[in-house]
Amino acid sequence: QIDVKKHTEYDEDDFCINGQDSPKWEDTVQEVIAHLGGRTFRETAEEEIISTLHKDVTGYRGQMYMKLNGKTILFLGSSVTYGSASGGVSFADIMAESLHFHSIKEAVSGTTLADLDESSYVARLKKLDPQTHVDLLICQLSTNDASRNIPLEKTEDAIRTILEYTKNTFGCPVVFYTGTYFESNAYEAMIRLLYSLRAEYDFSILDLFNDPTMRAIAPEDYARYMSDPIHPNLLGYRAWWTPKFVEFC
């Protein structure tokens, strides 16, 4: 069975933090600058990044701390949940570090919702110890299903399975989250499917794709925050994505 304390697989070239203590955010400054492609957007960039990494991510951290402190959140996903463009650190790690809850990060880059093999979201969810206490499941709407042209019916079956299995096994709420906007008709169809399933299932959707405030980002900030149209860099997780997750939770 999977070690529920921290089960995170990664591509061969990824930097591994599996099993280690959460990094000190001061130590990631050079990583952030590196992920910005070496661009210094002002002379005090390093000081600004340190300030960003230390500041309260929402402005009401105390309230969220009391709500999430000591809880167990299961994060199920692929490269975006893992943090493949940020040294293996994603919003899941930043939230857990800031708000002091227990994180089970079940994230494997390149995997699909659709139950195609043993690496799928469904297969990995079912490998977790069913006796594990979980207070909340946050599941990524995988872009890999869209990029690999997986039939929508297979993705739908997987989403239904995840919702039903989680309810029957862990008895906890479920949140599906989307990526931020990028051009993909297939991914937009997956989002529409997700909304249609709420007529049958009780779950929540954190829709970053259609969030008007996320779409209104200035081009220069987008370039600072994203490694590519799908993957945030470390600063992007910290300053742009994580506040949305904290507000939603």
Side-chain angles (χ1 to χ4, degrees), residues 181-218:
Y181 178 80
F182 68 104
E183 292 187 9
S184 172
N185 292 333
Y187 197 65
E188 291 192 54
M190 288 173 59
I191 295 173
R192 290 193 296 270
L193 166 66
L194 199 59
Y195 277 101
S196 72
L197 290 174
R198 288 207 301 186
E200 300 179 50
Y201 298 95
D202 182 16
F203 70 100
S204 301
I205 301 172
L206 175 54
D207 188 353
L208 302 178
F209 191 93
N210 292 302
D211 186 320
T213 62
M214 299 296 276
R215 287 205 179 193
I217 187 171

Side-chain angles (χ1 to χ4, degrees), residues 89-176:
V89 177
S90 75
F91 66 91
D93 305 283
I94 297 169
M95 287 177 67
E97 173 80 10
S98 299
L99 301 173
H100 292 196
F101 61 79
H102 176 52
S103 170
I104 305 173
K105 194 169 96 169
E106 177 46 62
V108 181
S109 296
T111 56
T112 62
L113 281 157
D115 195 13
L116 304 178
D117 53 40
E118 289 301 306
S119 71
S120 75
Y121 286 29
V122 171
R124 288 184 286 119
L125 178 64
K126 291 183 176 181
K127 288 179 183 178
L128 289 169
D129 183 349
Q131 300 303 314
T132 302
H133 176 78
V134 179
D135 294 295
L136 175 66
L137 168 64
I138 298 181
C139 184
Q140 177 187 345
L141 188 69
S142 178
T143 57
N144 297 311
D145 290 65
S147 63
R148 293 171 59 177
N149 296 313
I150 304 297
L152 195 59
E153 294 78 11
K154 289 185 177 294
T155 301
E156 178 179 352
D157 288 344
I159 294 172
R160 288 179 180 274
T161 299
I162 289 169
L163 290 168
E164 292 169 3
Y165 184 83
T166 301
K167 177 181 178 180
N168 296 331
T169 304
F170 302 115
C172 69
V174 176
V175 175
F176 271 87

Side-chain angles (χ1 to χ4, degrees), residues 207-233:
D207 188 353
L208 302 178
F209 191 93
N210 292 302
D211 186 320
T213 62
M214 299 296 276
R215 287 205 179 193
I217 187 171
E220 58 269 24
D221 288 329
Y222 186 89
R224 288 168 56 192
Y225 293 158
M226 297 294 285
S227 174
D228 58 49
I230 293 174
H231 301 94
N233 58 38

